[in-house]
Amino acid sequence: EVQLMESGGGLVQPGGSLRLSCAVSGLTFSSHWMHWVRQAPGKGLVWISRINGDGRSTSYGDSVKGRFTISRDNAKSTLFLQMDNLEPDDTALYFCTTEYLHSFYYWGQGAVVTVSS
Amino acid sequence: YVLTQPPSVSVAPGQTARITCEGSNFGIKRIHWYQQRPGQAPVMVVYADNARPSGIPERFSGSNSGSTATLTINRVEAGDEADYYCQVWDSSSDHPYAFGSGTKVTVL
């Protein structure tokens, strides 16, 4: 059974930082491109970042480019999202997800990030 | 890349729900669909226009006419009440993975 488990969410002040983790089991982690998708309260899904299998290629949505950094540790089957200079609009539920044919096949349950003073 | 979905669809139990998704150049793109029940993570129900992941009932099907993609739910059940999102990959965009705004399906 494939499982994705996010952790590291919480309450942070504007301008602060958080690091999300996503532990993956049940599949060959290094073979899969991985993504982060977020959902603001009461809003829809928004793609924010992806990383290829060996970690050498990354891309970001405009809303987080220059502030967020995606990375992975294939030895530990773990995906990360370093979030710096956080803004109130970054308040959301953050999901990690695996890619298959440019779709999002498996999803974690999400980590809540709240940016507020 | 903009994907347009109706905000809501209402359907009686046992009937058929159809959720549309419109965008440009759909003929060369593959459309994916996700179900998100309240308080839960999204679940893929259709990928690559009309393929079903393992464990998804045959009641769920997808189609792509080239200008409009449609998710069809046959014999709707109470448990199908959820938000549904379409998604595409646009290689020419700086924001290549785009979601539609979502459609709330209400089972009457």
Side-chain angles (χ1 to χ4, degrees):
Chain A
E1 180 190 7
V2 176
Q3 291 189 331
L4 288 74
M5 182 68 69
E6 299 92 340
S7 60
L11 173 64
V12 62
Q13 292 187 341
S17 298
L18 274 179
R19 189 192 197 203
L20 301 182
S21 299
C22 172
V24 179
S25 61
L27 52 76
T28 305
F29 182 67
S30 60
S31 298
H32 291 265
W33 287 31
M34 298 294 298
H35 297 254
W36 290 97
V37 173
R38 72 183 182 185
Q39 186 172 36
K43 302 297 185 181
L45 302 170
V46 177
W47 171 83
I48 59 171
S49 185
R50 73 100 178 130
I51 188 168
N52 74 338
D54 63 15
R56 296 182 182 182
S57 174
T58 60
S59 64
Y60 300 89
D62 288 342
S63 61
V64 305
K65 197 174 295 183
R67 300 187 299 120
F68 289 13
T69 303
I70 190 171
S71 62
R72 64 193 297 160
D73 184 338
N74 285 345
K76 297 182 178 179
S77 296
T78 303
L79 175 73
F80 302 101
L81 185 68
Q82 176 66 40
M83 303 183 293
D84 298 319
N85 194 19
L86 283 159
E87 305 168 351
D89 284 348
D90 295 319
T91 294
L93 184 59
Y94 286 74
F95 297 101
C96 61
T97 176
T98 63
E99 178 174 325
Y100 178 69
L101 297 180
H102 305 303
S103 69
F104 304 113
Y105 205 92
Y106 297 109
W107 297 69
Q109 287 303 304
V112 175
V113 172
T114 303
V115 183
S116 174
S117 54
Chain B
Y1 190 88
V2 178
L3 295 171
T4 302
Q5 296 183 238
S8 62
V9 167
S10 297
V11 59
Q15 300 303 302
T16 298
R18 294 181 179 84
I19 305 160
T20 58
C21 176
E22 296 182 346
S24 60
N25 297 320
F26 264 17
I28 58 172
K29 300 189 190 304
R30 295 296 173 258
I31 316 303
H32 317 291
W33 292 92
Y34 306 88
Q35 174 195 67
Q36 188 178 30
R37 295 188 175 106
Q40 296 187 19
V43 172
M44 177 188 290
V45 292
V46 166
Y47 67 96
D49 292 340
N50 54 20
R52 264 189 319 277
S54 173
I56 300 301
E58 292 183 4
R59 300 185 298 106
F60 289 84
S61 63
S63 63
N64 182 355
S65 71
S67 59
T68 302
T70 303
L71 175 69
T72 301
I73 311 173
N74 292 315
R75 302 181 299 283
V76 166
E77 303 173 356
D80 298 331
E81 186 161 290
D83 294 322
Y84 291 83
Y85 296 89
C86 59
Q87 178 253 318
V88 299
W89 177 69
D90 180 12
S91 60
S92 65
S93 172
D94 289 339
H95 198 274
Y97 301 88
F99 288 95
S101 53
T103 298
K104 170 67 176 178
V105 170
T106 300
V107 181
L108 300 171

